[in-house]
Amino acid sequence: FKYGINEFDRQKMYHYLNNSFPKSQSVKVLSQFMFKELKDTLPVHPVFIDSSTIHKLSDISKNEKLKNKIIFIDIWASWCMPCRAEFTHNSELETLLSQYPMVEKLYITIDKDSDSWKNAIQSIKLSGYHLIATNELMNEMRKKIYQSETVTVPQYILIDSHGNILNRNLPRPSEIKILKAELDKLIR
């Protein structure tokens, strides 16, 4: 529930537990999640960027939708539970990023399966710009961001309007005050 995994019918499970164990602590906790899930019916509006045009970080800033912007990049994967945990802080992150009119957020997934990726976006309700990393982009990210062959997610970076890396390891959204202080140093 907490991380938006929908491998089973959550409503069916909730109703079963509520009918079978109405006074249990689990039902009490799940009730809060069900309320949020039923209340959170806003449509998801992902904007998918054509990955065939993005071979390196500087290509991102050339994209018509992201041109002349400082880009806050969230590198993630649909199977990554820490990534999903960080998404629970998206409303605070959106509020923070709205203070910087030149900043646009972009989600880059390292998923290989575009169906899993797109299903996760709908399940987690990630509106905004999305890109699936090509092999070329992955190679450049390994070299310029990770500076190794190992890729870890989640990873947050900031690039300028020319695709230059301003910070390759920003604090996570769960550390919103530290993230704000870092953004203030880099942008203002």
Side-chain angles (χ1 to χ4, degrees):
F1 270 85
K2 185 173 182 179
Y3 302 124
I5 303 298
N6 201 18
E7 295 175 358
F8 50 85
D9 186 332
R10 292 192 288 244
Q11 289 185 8
K12 186 175 179 182
M13 181 191 74
Y14 171 74
H15 291 301
Y16 166 77
L17 290 172
N18 193 33
N19 290 333
S20 301
F21 310 100
K23 296 187 186 296
S24 76
Q25 184 67 21
S26 296
V27 169
K28 184 177 177 182
V29 170
L30 291 175
S31 292
Q32 296 169 351
F33 288 115
M34 281 303 296
F35 175 75
K36 182 182 183 315
E37 185 171 302
L38 295 173
K39 188 179 111 188
D40 190 14
T41 57
L42 294 174
V44 179
H45 299 291
V47 178
F48 296 104
I49 294 178
D50 180 9
S51 61
S52 69
T53 64
I54 310 289
H55 305 290
K56 49 191 176 182
L57 291 170
S58 60
D59 292 340
I60 293 170
S61 58
K62 294 175 187 168
N63 180 280
E64 194 59 40
K65 296 174 176 111
L66 301 171
K67 195 178 273 189
N68 300 320
K69 295 286 188 174
I70 295 171
I71 305 164
F72 177 91
I73 299 176
D74 180 338
I75 303 172
W76 72 292
S78 63
W79 42 262
C80 169
M81 289 304 109
C83 299
R84 289 180 182 239
E86 290 300 320
F87 292 145
T88 63
H89 302 279
N90 267 0
S91 64
E92 297 118 275
L93 179 59
E94 292 297 329
T95 300
L96 173 62
L97 293 180
S98 71
Q99 298 172 23
Y100 310 97
M102 291 300 297
V103 174
E104 197 65 62
K105 183 168 60 170
L106 170 66
Y107 297 98
I108 298 179
T109 187
I110 61 170
D111 279 84
K112 299 293 181 205
D113 178 16
S114 66
D115 288 339
S116 297
W117 168 56
K118 288 181 178 179
N119 289 338
I121 289 168
Q122 289 299 323
S123 172
I124 301 166
K125 300 188 182 308
L126 291 178
S127 291
Y129 295 106
H130 294 270
L131 175 68
I132 191 165
T134 60
N135 288 334
E136 296 89 357
L137 182 58
M138 282 299 299
N139 288 336
E140 184 177 70
M141 289 192 318
R142 280 187 191 98
K143 186 168 52 172
K144 290 188 174 180
I145 296 169
Y146 296 100
Q147 299 174 337
S148 84
E149 286 300 308
T150 305
V151 174
T152 57
V153 287
Q155 182 81 20
Y156 304 92
I157 68 170
L158 194 69
I159 62 174
D160 68 15
S161 59
H162 303 291
N164 300 311
I165 298 172
L166 299 173
N167 187 311
R168 70 176 43 88
N169 192 21
L170 286 170
R172 293 179 175 202
S174 58
E175 304 170 315
I176 201 77
K177 289 180 181 175
I178 301 168
L179 176 58
K180 180 180 180 356
E182 187 63 28
L183 291 176
D184 283 344
K185 282 193 284 185
L186 295 167
I187 297 172
R188 303 251 166 150

